[in-house]
Amino acid sequence: MIERKKRSKRRREITNVIAPEMLSNWQRKIVLSRLAQLCAPMLKGYQDDLPLLTDSLEQRLNATAQNSAQTARDIQITYRQIRKNKMLTDAPYAAALCAPWLRIDDNEKYAEWLGLIVLCCCQLHIIGQHDSAIDSALREIRLIANDINHAPIFHKLPRVTHINSLEKLGEQLEVLKLHYPEPNLEYAGIGYLSVVIRNAFVRSRGIVRRRKKRALTFSEPEVITVIPLEPVDDSGLEVERLQIRPEMEDSRTVDETAMLETSVTFRVYGIHQRNKNLAIMAQQSQRFTEQLSNRNQSLLCSFEQLTDWDIHHLIQHCIANLKQQDSVACWVLLTLITGRDPSWLHTKARQHQLLDIVNSSPYIRMYHHVPASNQADILKGILPNIAEKFDRPLPQDLYQWVKEFNVNLPAPTLLEIRTWLSPVNKKHTTRLTLGRITRYLEHWCLNNGSDRAIVALMRGESHQSRPALAYSYVSQDAILHDYYRYVTAIFAMANINPQLPSYQPEASHLGSRLHLPSSILHHIFTVLAQPLKHRSNIWDFHNHYVCYVWALLTFSTGHRDVTAPMGKLTDYNPHQRTWWISDKERRNVPSARTLVIPPTAAKQVDDYLQHLHQLKKHCHFRAPNIAERCQQALDGSGNLLFYITDKQYTKVSSDLTPALSNHA
């Protein structure tokens, strides 16, 4: 069953690559029919050299080829639409399969080459890291058919059906390249085809080349020219651009550098910036170590955590004692798998059924509930359903213990576990303690790319201990995927098979019900913008427009509702589309952060500034105080978003608050 799932997943991946979802359903049908027509005969002839595709595509290609109903006109229309929408690079397989054969006189020979190249590229895509070779070969086989400069290459290619071996075919193409002592168009074109054919035969993973960064070096001393730039706001920051060029004699001095600059260097001075003290340096060091941990660039072993050696002997010791019906071994193994100490697990077992037998396999059941899981009945048709419990399989060695589990028996104490671990530590020089065993799940998952929310759900934490869980919306499938990875990995350290039941995907979710579907989010701003079309009063229009801009920026940045949201215009950098915000008040932790806003939000900010200019002109004589407030928002001396209200028959401005936005 696992192999069947792998083949099914592989077919879906190949299908999405050949006919990407950016194409319409009709276009995808034409491309897949074209694929079956050209590639089905070639797959039979080269099935020994294309084993990764034989099981995945053979049946589907044959079935599609029999039901193929495309015409030459449909193929031509599909290629024109791909070219018109500038998708030749984004959909290279579809472009190659549907390209017209304007320069071809032997259609049968070209169909064989096109089908073989597409199959070789599909096999390289499954292997991975061959994107450059795939794109070059598909582009070359497409240009051979419809470009006058590439057409001569086709006449030098041998017949594919006369060889039936990718190894020999690749060797013949390499011999053809020897006829061109100097690299030219024909040499490069044959080389692109030869690379994918030879790599598909070898079936080795591709090479990823990374560009090396080189510092500028001059034979003579360099001169650094400082070019002051105009300030973008009134924050007091002085920005200068540094231009580096080699030092020359006066007779050879030029106004501009003759060297191509690969990057631009800026130097920023802040007159209000504080000098770094020990607290700031410590916080920056902490952030640096967190980044190393997230990128999995930390040391292979932390001194405070267990190693593969420790886990290897711990699991072997547990399994050996399980055969002797040792309950302490069961509790310790359950602690390692769940990341919770025995006293916590025993307390949960008293509250609800923690362990159970499902389909002859032991399972542990966890419960998760957050305040946002309960919503009004009127929202049942809009918000998704949430599961409040989820089961995870346990190793089959715990079957008998789970079946006979008695919640009235006490869990082992810390002293009993320490005594139980003592022989292992002495014999194998391990560092096993209950605390390290409990922390190992989180330690392993974080170092292997698991999300912290998923780790917290695996450990059965509540939103009181991990506040982020109150806002999370996590699929049970993601939790089970990481859980299976973890259990399989720790048992592999001990060379033991955990005998977990086959993985079954789960469609349910855990966490908050306030996860709006994309269809709802799509219409939110349409509904918010609807009143703007019918507002003839300039004051009402401004209030509704401010709320609309506030909602868009809040949605783009995650800024929560506070008084005077989004700050001043000086917090926004229009050149880089970044916004400096501070809305999280915490002790001894910086609450500010810089976020990049999307182009749509940046365009809306520009439109809002134009609105303020027009409102300032309109209120210059009618409401001077509003005109002055507009000027303050434009020059950054006042908050960017403000509301207009009536006070004793006079229009006054006030900073925006959540309460005021409800009246709009």
Side-chain angles (χ1 to χ4, degrees), residues 110 119 178 252 448 505 530 582 620 628 644:
Y110 181 78
L119 289 176
L178 299 178
R252 293 186 296 154
N448 285 271
Q530 194 68 26
S582 175
H620 187 71
E628 182 181 359
I644 300 177

Side-chain angles (χ1 to χ4, degrees), residues 123-384:
Q123 178 153 302
L124 293 182
H125 176 78
I126 297 175
I127 297 172
Q129 297 183 357
H130 288 279
D131 295 342
S132 178
I134 293 173
D135 294 340
S136 300
L138 292 175
R139 179 179 180 273
E140 186 62 34
I141 198 67
R142 172 171 56 85
L143 293 178
I144 285 175
N146 53 29
D147 191 299
I148 190 173
N149 296 323
H150 295 255
I153 299 176
F154 177 73
H155 299 287
K156 298 178 173 56
L157 297 177
R159 289 298 296 259
V160 175
T161 54
H162 295 170
I163 300 174
N164 290 335
S165 172
L166 293 182
E167 182 181 12
K168 296 180 180 179
L169 185 60
E171 292 175 356
Q172 288 198 16
L173 294 181
E174 290 297 314
V175 172
L176 286 177
K177 290 170 56 178
L178 299 178
H179 294 285
Y180 307 99
E182 296 183 1
N184 55 16
L185 183 61
E186 296 182 357
Y187 174 91
I190 297 175
Y192 292 145
L193 305 181
S194 174
V195 166
V196 294
I197 291 175
R198 289 186 291 108
N199 288 347
F201 173 79
V202 178
R203 297 197 295 273
S204 61
R205 198 170 183 86
I207 301 175
V208 178
R209 294 181 174 86
R210 304 186 183 277
R211 186 186 301 273
K212 295 183 178 180
K213 298 181 179 179
R214 298 180 179 179
L216 294 175
T217 56
F218 303 109
S219 58
E220 301 176 358
E222 64 272 9
V223 175
I224 300 178
T225 305
V226 179
I227 304 175
L229 302 179
E230 296 182 1
V232 297
D233 49 37
D234 59 352
S235 60
L237 294 178
E238 299 179 2
V239 184
E240 298 174 342
R241 185 167 70 91
L242 305 183
Q243 187 180 51
I244 304 176
R245 59 181 176 83
E247 185 180 12
M248 301 180 179
E249 299 178 1
D250 295 339
S251 59
R252 293 186 296 154
T253 302
V254 294
D255 294 335
E256 297 181 358
T257 176
M259 180 174 294
L260 179 63
E261 295 184 354
T262 58
S263 61
V264 181
T265 304
F266 293 96
R267 185 166 61 188
V268 181
Y269 292 100
I271 57 177
H272 299 296
Q273 290 181 345
R274 297 180 298 176
N275 295 328
K276 289 185 179 180
N277 52 25
L278 293 178
I280 295 180
M281 295 176 62
Q283 292 171 1
Q284 291 178 343
S285 300
Q286 179 183 4
R287 175 58 180 162
F288 178 73
T289 55
E290 289 176 355
Q291 290 177 341
L292 287 180
S293 176
N294 294 335
R295 298 169 184 170
N296 201 16
Q297 295 178 341
S298 58
L299 297 178
L300 298 178
C301 167
S302 173
F303 180 78
E304 294 300 326
Q305 301 296 339
L306 299 180
T307 62
D308 295 358
W309 173 265
D310 300 323
I311 299 298
H312 169 82
H313 291 288
L314 173 62
I315 295 181
Q316 284 192 342
H317 188 61
C318 289
I319 299 300
N321 285 271
L322 281 176
K323 299 178 181 179
Q324 303 176 5
Q325 297 182 353
D326 187 351
S327 62
V328 178
C330 300
W331 282 106
V332 172
L333 185 59
L334 190 63
T335 298
L336 177 64
I337 293 174
T338 61
R340 285 295 189 175
D341 59 86
S343 61
W344 186 92
L345 293 170
H346 188 264
T347 302
K348 292 297 180 182
R350 285 182 172 273
Q351 297 174 357
H352 52 74
Q353 186 176 7
L354 181 69
L355 303 173
D356 194 10
I357 301 295
V358 180
N359 296 330
S360 302
S361 297
Y363 274 77
I364 183 171
R365 179 170 299 164
M366 291 291 184
Y367 291 80
H368 181 66
H369 179 82
V370 297
S373 298
N374 295 332
Q375 296 295 329
D377 295 339
I378 194 175
L379 299 177
K380 287 185 177 180
I382 300 178
L383 299 180

Side-chain angles (χ1 to χ4, degrees), residues 299-546:
L299 297 178
L300 298 178
C301 167
S302 173
F303 180 78
E304 294 300 326
Q305 301 296 339
L306 299 180
T307 62
D308 295 358
W309 173 265
D310 300 323
I311 299 298
H312 169 82
H313 291 288
L314 173 62
I315 295 181
Q316 284 192 342
H317 188 61
C318 289
I319 299 300
N321 285 271
L322 281 176
K323 299 178 181 179
Q324 303 176 5
Q325 297 182 353
D326 187 351
S327 62
V328 178
C330 300
W331 282 106
V332 172
L333 185 59
L334 190 63
T335 298
L336 177 64
I337 293 174
T338 61
R340 285 295 189 175
D341 59 86
S343 61
W344 186 92
L345 293 170
H346 188 264
T347 302
K348 292 297 180 182
R350 285 182 172 273
Q351 297 174 357
H352 52 74
Q353 186 176 7
L354 181 69
L355 303 173
D356 194 10
I357 301 295
V358 180
N359 296 330
S360 302
S361 297
Y363 274 77
I364 183 171
R365 179 170 299 164
M366 291 291 184
Y367 291 80
H368 181 66
H369 179 82
V370 297
S373 298
N374 295 332
Q375 296 295 329
D377 295 339
I378 194 175
L379 299 177
K380 287 185 177 180
I382 300 178
L383 299 180
N385 294 324
I386 297 297
E388 295 191 354
K389 62 180 180 180
F390 59 101
D391 298 338
R392 289 174 293 168
L394 296 174
Q396 196 64 26
D397 297 283
L398 292 174
Y399 174 82
Q400 193 64 29
W401 179 69
V402 171
K403 184 178 180 181
E404 301 175 356
F405 179 75
N406 187 358
V407 70
N408 296 322
L409 296 178
T413 62
L414 177 61
L415 181 60
E416 292 175 348
I417 296 177
R418 188 178 300 170
T419 305
W420 187 85
L421 292 173
S422 179
V424 186
N425 291 330
K426 290 181 180 179
K427 182 178 180 180
H428 302 288
T429 319
T430 55
R431 299 177 297 110
L432 297 171
T433 63
L434 180 60
R436 288 171 177 162
I437 295 173
T438 305
R439 295 191 301 266
Y440 187 75
L441 181 143
E442 185 173 4
H443 166 75
W444 187 93
C445 289
L446 292 181
N447 281 277
N448 285 271
S450 297
D451 186 69
R452 289 184 179 271
I454 293 180
V455 177
L457 291 172
M458 290 172 60
R459 298 184 70 246
E461 296 186 27
S462 62
H463 65 278
Q464 287 87 354
S465 60
R466 182 82 66 170
L469 292 179
Y471 309 98
S472 63
Y473 180 78
V474 184
S475 171
Q476 288 199 39
D477 192 20
I479 304 174
L480 287 174
H481 178 266
D482 286 5
Y483 174 78
Y484 269 75
R485 279 200 312 148
Y486 169 68
V487 176
T488 305
I490 61 176
F491 273 79
M493 298 177 189
N495 299 323
I496 298 176
N497 185 5
Q499 299 180 7
L500 296 177
S502 59
Y503 175 73
Q504 298 293 337
E506 290 285 346
S508 57
H509 291 74
L510 297 172
S512 171
R513 290 192 66 191
L514 296 179
H515 178 79
L516 297 180
S518 58
S519 59
I520 301 299
L521 292 175
H522 178 74
H523 296 288
I524 283 181
F525 293 98
T526 303
V527 175
L528 292 177
Q530 194 68 26
L532 297 177
K533 301 179 181 179
H534 309 288
R535 295 288 176 177
S536 58
N537 189 313
I538 185 63
W539 317 115
D540 293 341
F541 177 85
H542 171 80
N543 291 338
H544 279 81
Y545 186 45
V546 165

